[in-house]
Amino acid sequence: MQVISSREAPRTIGPYSQAIASDDWIFTSGQIPLTASGANVVGSIKDQTEQVFNNLEAVLTEAGSSLAGVVSVTVFMTDLGEFAEMNEVFAQRFGLHRPARTTIQVAALPTGARVEINAVARRQA
């Protein structure tokens, strides 16, 4: 196993890694809308989702992959009433690629975030 850490994504806020690679598989921790410096992104669900994807891309790049290598994601949201707006950003960032996905409404997320996404990806040749 290899610990993955990118300076282009926020440091973890607990005792865990940004991602772990095992063989050709990459397992990211949930990414929330924090900038690389650790500042909260406030604003619309679209703004927060964009930052989450920026973080995911940074971690995946560090691990030798990209969004194109993602096979599965889990999306956690505090308000499924914002699903359509999150989904717009999701579709734009993945383009024609369509990984498997689960979306779950939760009572709360760390730092007051409204969205958190984790991913499982393959390293790309």
Side-chain angles (χ1 to χ4, degrees), residues 16-68:
Y16 56 90
S17 302
Q18 289 176 334
I20 294 290
S22 180
D23 298 321
D24 287 337
W25 290 100
I26 302 153
F27 302 86
T28 73
S29 292
Q31 295 295 311
I32 58 176
L34 296 176
T35 65
S37 66
N40 276 313
V41 171
V42 293
S44 72
I45 190 67
K46 286 184 177 183
D47 294 336
Q48 289 198 9
T49 305
E50 286 285 358
Q51 185 61 51
V52 167
F53 272 100
N54 291 344
N55 297 342
L56 281 172
E57 284 186 311
V59 172
L60 290 169
T61 297
E62 186 70 29
S65 190
S66 68
L67 291 177

Side-chain angles (χ1 to χ4, degrees), residues 103-114:
T103 304
I104 303 165
Q105 182 168 317
V106 296
L109 291 167
T111 74
R114 291 161 43 202

Side-chain angles (χ1 to χ4, degrees), residues 75-97:
V75 179
F76 302 92
M77 300 181 69
T78 58
D79 181 359
L80 285 178
E82 298 178 318
F83 180 83
E85 293 88 354
M86 177 283 299
N87 213 35
E88 283 181 44
V89 175
F90 188 98
Q92 289 170 352
R93 295 303 282 265
F94 276 110
L96 296 177
H97 179 53

